[in-house]
Amino acid sequence: MKERVITFGTFDVFHVGHLRILERARKFGNYLMVGVSTDALNFSKKGRIPFYNQDERMEIISALSCVDEVFLEESLELKRHYINIYKADVLVMGDDWAGKFDEFKDICSVIYLPRTPSISTTAVIEKIRIP
Ligand code: C2G
């Protein structure tokens, strides 16, 4: 088997939920490519600038042993393009996106994995914020 897996995310304030989805995604093949959302895309999606900038987030993701290649995701509308140019066989996303990427089933397998419960970037930021 020589499957190429692709996934996308912001991965801001990197936490164990991020790590686990990347490790699980890698198991669907033997080459994992990660599209890291740009700061601008994150602002347009969530209305806030990430705590860590896109270069720092790319640096962290590319240092992980389960990750083989990292690129910047500039727009949500470019998913089909990224799947094609990176020759992905499998798209893996967390189930907060369940059903949202089914339109790509014509060019690759689309898999949604359950999120790790009780952890999120927002929760971490809230927890460490000094009152
Ligand atoms: N995740 C998870 N468990 C958590 C938190 C996040 O499995 N407790 C997963 C999400 O489901 C996602 C990945 O980690 O698949 C990255 O999460 P985010 O950084 O929140 O990604 P998001 O901003 O949703 O960006 O094109 C799609 C977007 O780029 C996804």
Side-chain angles (χ1 to χ4, degrees):
M1 181 190 61
K2 202 168 186 298
E3 299 270 285
R4 292 167 62 85
V5 184
I6 197 165
T7 192
F8 298 87
T10 310
F11 304 102
D12 191 25
V13 187
F14 193 79
H15 59 67
V16 74
H18 295 145
L19 178 63
R20 286 179 188 160
I21 198 155
L22 293 173
E23 287 179 330
R24 286 182 293 161
R26 179 63 157 71
K27 290 190 178 134
F28 284 86
N30 50 18
Y31 194 84
L32 177 62
M33 304 163 287
V34 184
V36 173
S37 300
T38 59
D39 296 337
L41 172 55
N42 202 257
F43 187 75
S44 70
K45 233 171 24 174
K46 298 182 183 173
R48 68 174 175 83
I49 295 181
F51 185 79
Y52 291 119
N53 70 43
Q54 62 196 47
D55 295 335
E56 294 166 329
R57 290 181 287 111
M58 292 256 288
E59 198 175 329
I60 292 166
I61 301 300
S62 50
L64 299 171
S65 60
C66 59
V67 173
D68 298 288
E69 193 171 339
V70 176
F71 60 95
L72 281 175
E73 180 191 28
E74 309 260 2
S75 160
L76 293 180
E77 312 308 319
L78 288 174
K79 274 218 172 45
R80 181 173 291 276
H81 170 72
Y82 294 129
I83 293 167
N84 278 324
I85 61 168
Y86 288 99
K87 299 187 188 330
D89 303 298
V90 187
L91 167 65
V92 173
M93 292 298 299
D95 63 3
D96 44 329
W97 293 91
K100 298 262 166 48
F101 302 123
D102 287 354
E103 65 190 280
F104 306 123
K105 285 184 176 169
D106 58 335
I107 51 168
C108 66
S109 310
V110 179
I111 291 162
Y112 305 100
L113 296 177
R115 282 167 63 96
T116 299
S118 315
I119 186 154
S120 69
T121 297
T122 311
V124 173
I125 291 173
E126 287 300 315
K127 210 168 175 181
I128 60 182
R129 179 174 281 158
I130 298 163

